[in-house]
Amino acid sequence: MRFDSALGLEARKGPLVVAGKVLIYGAIVLVFTGPLVGLLVSSFSKTLDPTSFSLWPDDFTLDNFIDAERKNVYMYLLNSFVVVGFGLLLQVLVSVFAAYSLARKKFRGMTVVMLLMLATMMLPEEIIAIPLSLVLSDMPIFHANLIGTYAGMILPVGAWGFSILVMTEFMKEVPVELEEAARIDGAGELRIFATIIVPLCRPALGVIGVFGFTMIWDQYLLPLIVAPEPSMWTLPVALRSLRSDEETGIGVLLAASLLALLPSIIAFLAFQRQFMRGLTSGAVKG
């Protein structure tokens, strides 16, 4: 398979073209990976100047990560993993079941439901901050106060319009004939859903897994509203506190930033195959 660049370099040959490719691709790599390399190197260096940049630690040390433990960075990291673990699991379950209803069932008001989900994606978090805090402080029907609990940080991210829409559009592409054949063989609704629909939607699960993980991991406003005590802070919230703490060295802040960045990269690498298949599946269908 051939991919032509926007500049048409793939269609030309010669030493000047090769040099141009090296310069362009090198510049792209430097722009996108430079900050990451700088953060990685500085985290393992005795950094005094935050504006300095090096491709190799001048004085390799683990003191920044040791000092990060004294600032409870690993406790904040654990809180983030708890929230993102249960939150992502809940979000995937809600997205899959909701998408199955929207894609395979017909009911009144389905268009309204889709429009409402789109509307939630268009609203900035700052607009719903006050209503969300009021709802979490007094849950309807149950009248439970979720402020100061992990459930208050997990439940609001359990339903995300983007994940539901991605799963819905993907499930619409699953042939109806597969369901009809399974029903003829005596399969029930739940069995069809679990053994036919969900396995065929693995690429979409990779997409919503990566985006969902990143969305929950980067949450700042929600933990700030729900967690009144520093012991419940997630790492993004703690980074703001560490930055304003004059006793925290720049090395500790860089180490904490690296710890906040690595999980998103690992999540993408773990779901990379399904993620790429999910992104390209829409281009080859129909």
Side-chain angles (χ1 to χ4, degrees), residues 10-29:
E10 296 294 336
R12 301 181 181 182
K13 298 180 180 180
L16 293 179
V17 175
V18 174
K21 289 181 182 180
V22 172
L23 291 176
I24 292 175
Y25 297 152
I28 293 174
V29 171

Side-chain angles (χ1 to χ4, degrees), residues 176-249:
V176 180
E177 292 77 11
L178 295 177
E179 292 186 48
E180 296 175 349
R183 287 193 175 93
I184 293 175
D185 293 337
E189 193 78 24
L190 184 60
R191 183 177 179 184
I192 293 174
F193 172 77
T195 61
I196 296 178
I197 302 297
V198 174
L200 290 175
C201 294
R202 287 181 180 176
L205 290 174
V207 173
I208 68 173
V210 172
F211 280 105
F213 183 97
T214 305
M215 186 274 286
I216 300 173
W217 185 265
D218 292 340
Q219 281 290 321
Y220 176 80
L221 188 60
L222 179 60
L224 191 64
I225 294 173
V226 176
E229 300 294 334
S231 60
M232 291 191 63
W233 284 353
T234 57
L235 195 51
V237 178
L239 283 174
R240 181 65 182 88
S241 176
L242 292 174
R243 183 180 178 183
S244 60
D245 188 358
E246 297 181 355
E247 296 181 359
T248 302

